[in-house]
Amino acid sequence: MFELDEFQSTVLRQFIDSKWSDFVKHCDEVGNDGLSLANEISVAIGGEED
């Protein structure tokens, strides 16, 4: 595993934000609570906590 630099985190966060509903749906498919998982990942890459 590797760490993302600030630019990489920003690009990833912008992409996730632009496809939020699809991202939550995907997280639902792989996890127990898609919205919680999506929020955890978003915060981990520098997004704001809900």
Side-chain angles (χ1 to χ4, degrees):
M1 185 171 290
F2 64 93
E3 288 187 34
L4 300 174
D5 64 27
E6 187 63 31
F7 176 74
Q8 293 167 325
S9 293
T10 299
V11 169
L12 183 56
R13 195 169 49 251
Q14 289 171 342
F15 176 75
I16 287 173
D17 287 348
S18 73
K19 304 287 187 189
W20 184 252
S21 60
D22 290 336
F23 183 60
V24 171
K25 183 178 177 183
H26 172 74
C27 288
D28 243 350
E29 293 172 2
V30 298
N32 215 12
D33 179 0
L35 184 57
S36 291
L37 179 57
N39 283 326
E40 289 173 13
I41 293 169
S42 179
V43 169
I45 59 171
E48 294 183 15
E49 221 169 321
D50 284 344

